[in-house]
């Protein structure tokens, strides 16, 4: 079976949507906090097309970028994921070609920048790479997945608190135009939602953390917190995961590994039914990142990210128990 081409999908859709306005996000920016000299962005990890696309969008952006520029990058990302190793040389060359300085260590990067994008595609080294940034007290966006395991996600947030260094992590699907319409009340209270997403599995990560997290985050954005139980049907070509919320609402995720795939879905509300997705632009997420760098206020809470990761862990437990229902509180 041919696996879903993750890099090709991301880069094609991202560049196609690069011209979409940055104010698709629900929030405007407060650009009064930092001085012009405090707006140097550093990137850790040049093994994902996000590093290239984000640099292009930020450095070619207008006033909505509030003066921020990507100025330096540390290329080391995953050390053993084949697709990451294959992508790294081309992405490194592209970022360097946009005038970004390449440095030899995270410590050197920290000395040259004010805020950080942790873009390493592999979630396993995120804690190790994030720790010196947090120890330096710098604000940081950690691309999804925030970590490969629930335990490492907890460690990252604990360090963020210890060093008073704000962080947040998010999929761009959280800020999809149709998702924002639903969260803005277009169909009233959301009574349920079904999403579908590529579901490629990487053996060093929790199954749904590697790629299906895009669809799962979209689901939680419209449903809100409060998932109570999780069940999962696992087959070679797909997974079907069902969550039941505390108030009885039901949300589902189809993670696709065979056949056509995209990231989209449907939300069911009191006043109507609305589409979710498909993905078309990173611009709204970039807007949220810039706003976060300015204010230090994470737009996605630790509690919500941890509930998403608990859902993912519960889904893995359900798979191991042949589809048994797993209580979130037991994870």
């Amino acid at each position: 079976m041919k696996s879903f081409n993750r890099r090709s999908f991301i880069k094609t859709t991202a560049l196609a949507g690069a011209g979409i306005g940055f104010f698709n996000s629900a929030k405007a920016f407060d650009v009064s906090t930092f001085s012009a000299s405090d707006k140097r962005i550093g990137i850790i990890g040049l093994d994902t097309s996000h590093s290239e696309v984000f640099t292009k969008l930020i450095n070619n952006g207008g006033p909505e970028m509030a003066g921020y520029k990507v100025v330096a990058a540390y290329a080391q990302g995953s050390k053993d994921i084949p697709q990451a190793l294959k992508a790294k040389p081309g992405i490194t060359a592209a970022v360097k070609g946009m005038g970004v300085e390449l440095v030899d260590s995270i410590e050197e990067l920290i000395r040259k920048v004010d805020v950080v994008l942790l873009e390493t595609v592999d979630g396993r080294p995120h804690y190790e790479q994030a720790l010196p940034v947090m120890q330096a007290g710098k604000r940081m966006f950690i691309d999804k997945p925030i970590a490969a395991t629930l335990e490492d996600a907890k460690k990252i947030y604990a360090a963020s608190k210890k060093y008073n260094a704000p962080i947040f992590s998010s999929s761009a699907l959280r800020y999809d135009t149709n998702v924002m319409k639903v969260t803005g009340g277009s169909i009233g209270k959301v009574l349920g939602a079904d999403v579908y997403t590529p579901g490629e599995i990487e053996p060093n990560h929790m199954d749904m953390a590697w790629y299906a997290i895009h669809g799962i985050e979209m689901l939680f954005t419209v449903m809100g917190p409060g998932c109570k139980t999780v069940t999962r049907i696992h087959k070679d070509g797909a997974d079907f995961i069902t969550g039941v919320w505390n108030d009885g609402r039901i949300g589902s995720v189809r993670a696709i590994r065979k056949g056509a795939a995209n990231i989209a879905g449907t939300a069911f509300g009191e006043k109507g039914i609305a589409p979710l997705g498909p993905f078309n632009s990173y611009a709204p997420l970039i807007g949220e990142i810039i706003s976060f760098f300015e204010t230090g206020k994470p737009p996605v809470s630790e509690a919500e990210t941890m509930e998403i990761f608990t859902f993912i862990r519960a889904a893995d437990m359900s798979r191991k128990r042949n589809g048994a229902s797993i209580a979130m509180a037991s994870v």
Side-chain angles (χ1 to χ4, degrees):
M1 180 179 71
K2 184 177 180 181
S3 64
F4 183 79
N5 191 328
R6 187 171 188 258
R7 170 169 162 75
S8 175
F9 174 80
I10 292 171
K11 188 170 183 180
T12 300
T13 52
L15 294 179
I20 293 176
F22 285 86
F23 289 96
N24 285 348
S25 169
K27 299 178 183 176
F29 306 153
D30 171 5
V31 296
S32 60
T33 308
F34 282 6
S35 68
S37 62
D38 294 324
K39 299 190 175 185
R40 301 168 299 171
I41 300 174
I43 292 179
I44 298 173
L46 298 180
D47 59 349
T48 167
S49 59
H50 286 196
S51 300
E52 178 182 347
V53 173
F54 287 13
T55 299
K56 182 176 182 179
L57 289 172
I58 293 169
N59 287 9
N60 293 341
E64 61 268 27
M65 293 298 98
Y68 283 87
K69 295 288 183 183
V70 178
V71 301
Y74 172 63
Q76 182 65 60
S78 176
K79 296 180 179 179
D80 60 6
I81 294 178
Q83 68 188 73
L85 296 175
K86 182 179 179 180
K88 180 182 169 184
I91 295 166
T92 300
V95 170
K96 183 179 180 182
M98 286 184 266
V100 176
E101 178 186 2
L102 302 182
V103 300
D104 295 325
S105 69
I106 292 175
E107 289 70 26
E108 183 182 358
L109 182 81
I110 290 169
R111 292 193 296 268
K112 292 177 178 287
V113 303
D114 306 294
V115 293
V116 170
L117 299 169
L118 176 46
E119 294 297 326
T120 300
V121 72
D122 187 345
R124 287 173 295 168
H126 278 188
Y127 174 71
E128 178 184 357
Q129 293 180 326
L131 185 59
V133 179
M134 292 185 288
Q135 288 173 330
K138 296 185 185 292
R139 297 168 187 177
M140 175 171 48
F141 170 76
I142 303 177
D143 216 331
K144 38 81 5 223
I146 191 171
T149 66
L150 181 62
E151 290 76 15
D152 272 3
K154 291 178 180 178
K155 287 168 61 178
I156 288 171
Y157 276 112
S160 172
K161 293 175 185 174
K162 179 178 180 179
Y163 297 108
N164 192 28
I167 63 170
F168 92 96
S169 182
S170 178
S171 162
L173 272 297
R174 175 179 292 275
Y175 301 110
D176 165 73
T177 302
N178 286 328
V179 170
M180 290 292 94
K181 289 178 182 177
V182 170
T183 59
S186 65
I187 59 172
K189 180 181 177 180
V190 175
L191 303 178
D194 301 326
V195 304
Y196 53 89
T197 176
E200 179 183 353
I201 293 174
E202 202 289 315
N204 297 294
H205 292 69
M206 292 190 297
D207 287 355
M208 299 295 106
W210 177 245
Y211 206 84
I213 190 171
H214 282 303
I216 293 169
E217 187 148 359
M218 184 163 63
L219 176 69
F220 271 83
T221 303
V222 297
M223 290 287 288
C227 184
K228 183 178 180 180
T229 62
V230 179
T231 58
R232 174 180 174 185
I233 299 171
H234 172 73
K235 298 296 179 182
D236 288 344
D239 283 279
F240 193 79
I241 304 165
T242 303
V244 178
W245 266 245
N246 290 325
D247 56 6
R249 294 178 301 145
I250 299 172
S252 71
V253 180
R254 178 180 292 273
I256 303 167
R257 289 182 294 278
K258 184 177 182 180
N262 206 334
I263 310 171
T266 305
F268 305 93
E270 289 180 320
K271 300 177 181 178
I273 298 172
L276 304 172
F279 172 73
N280 59 18
S281 176
Y282 284 108
L285 174 60
I286 294 295
E288 293 290 336
I289 292 170
I290 296 299
S291 179
F292 164 69
F293 285 160
E294 284 288 288
T295 66
K297 297 177 181 178
V300 183
S301 70
E302 172 187 353
E304 184 164 355
T305 298
M306 291 308 300
E307 182 167 340
I308 289 169
F309 264 66
T310 303
F311 179 95
I312 290 170
R313 165 67 71 80
D316 279 5
M317 293 170 65
S318 180
R319 174 187 174 181
K320 292 175 182 177
R321 299 178 189 178
N322 297 314
S325 178
I326 304 298
M328 292 276 282
S330 71
V331 178

